[in-house]
Amino acid sequence: DLAEQFEVSRPVIREAIIALEVQGLVEVRVGSGVYVLSACEAEQDGGQDVSAIELTEARLLVESEVAALAAAQITDAELRELAELVDRIEEENKTPDGKEEADAAFHLAIAKAARNSALFDTVERLWGLRHTSREAALLHEKARHANIKPIVDEHTAILTALRARDPKAAREAMRAHLSQVLESLLFATEQRAVDEARRNMQARRERFSRVTA
């Protein structure tokens, strides 16, 4: 209806809705629709926005050291739990909806193994921001749509370092993994810009077609 009313293509409308969602003016409820937020709701939601790039940079700094600390004191039971989570990550990668519950559980289990409540709370908070920050959530969603999913080999390398009780190797494996996550997000950012340029070009072509028809 909106595409017909404003005489634009549907992708242009979808991009506009995404922009409104990033600004906290609307809420998209899967299977239900798009809802306009009240001024009060928009103001409350506006204070938690952080970019996916900033968030991953923070995770790289924090979780690399957390992995090193965990390597020195992780238990055999915790290592078995991590191995099971790696298997679950591989299974989740096969699902079309792109769930990342096992990925989150893997990183939080390492934080728990570090035996430091403050660090665990920090890692848990950083993972929570992936969902509560609109900008971060939207870019991660864009990455999933581009079929960018948790890499099993990278998580296996972290597990191998933890099994060896090698803090330096664990730190390097976690840093390498999160550096790759950053690269993937940068790719998704670039792809989003390309998609937007294509939509703008298509909209111009449609306007030109209407004028010359």
Side-chain angles (χ1 to χ4, degrees):
D1 290 341
L2 288 172
E4 291 178 2
Q5 179 180 344
F6 293 101
E7 297 182 341
V8 296
S9 63
R10 291 187 179 186
V12 170
I13 295 297
R14 283 195 292 269
E15 186 67 19
I17 291 173
I18 290 174
L20 291 170
E21 186 179 16
V22 169
Q23 295 176 55
L25 300 176
V26 301
E27 178 184 1
V28 179
R29 301 177 189 173
V30 179
S32 179
V34 181
Y35 295 82
V36 177
L37 295 176
S38 68
C40 180
E41 289 175 314
E43 184 177 343
Q44 288 176 350
D45 290 342
Q48 295 203 58
D49 230 13
V50 60
S51 76
I53 304 300
E54 291 175 319
L55 178 56
T56 307
E57 285 177 338
R59 287 185 56 208
L60 191 153
L61 291 170
V62 173
E63 291 194 49
S64 296
E65 296 306 318
V66 167
L69 186 59
Q73 48 200 337
I74 195 167
T75 66
D76 289 341
E78 288 169 331
L79 287 169
R80 287 192 294 271
E81 178 187 0
L82 288 174
E84 292 173 359
L85 287 169
V86 170
D87 291 339
R88 281 179 52 196
I89 289 172
E90 187 170 14
E91 289 302 312
E92 284 186 352
N93 282 349
K94 299 175 183 177
T95 61
D97 55 0
K99 287 184 177 179
E100 297 182 6
E101 295 174 359
D103 186 23
F106 179 89
H107 287 269
L108 289 173
I110 293 174
K112 184 178 180 182
R115 306 287 188 276
N116 184 302
S117 297
L119 286 174
F120 178 83
D121 288 345
T122 300
V123 174
E124 188 176 42
R125 167 67 173 161
L126 289 172
W127 271 89
L129 282 171
R130 281 182 52 147
H131 304 288
T132 58
S133 168
R134 283 190 176 85
E135 188 174 347
L138 287 170
L139 186 53
H140 278 288
E141 182 181 356
K142 180 71 176 179
R144 286 195 294 274
H145 287 167
N147 205 32
I148 298 172
K149 298 181 179 180
I151 306 300
V152 173
D153 288 348
E154 294 172 7
H155 290 80
T156 300
I158 297 170
L159 176 57
T160 299
L162 291 171
R163 279 177 173 154
R165 268 77 176 189
D166 186 336
K168 181 179 178 181
R171 179 187 294 110
E172 291 176 350
M174 182 65 78
R175 180 174 290 273
H177 164 53
L178 292 174
S179 294
Q180 188 56 48
V181 172
L182 265 176
E183 289 296 322
S184 298
L185 290 172
L186 288 171
F187 170 81
T189 301
E190 293 169 359
Q191 186 60 46
R192 184 173 179 179
V194 170
D195 291 343
E196 183 176 357
R198 285 174 176 166
R199 284 191 290 272
N200 290 337
M201 179 63 71
Q202 182 61 30
R204 284 194 293 270
R205 285 174 178 168
E206 291 175 357
R207 288 197 296 271
F208 180 77
S209 177
R210 287 195 298 272
V211 170
T212 58

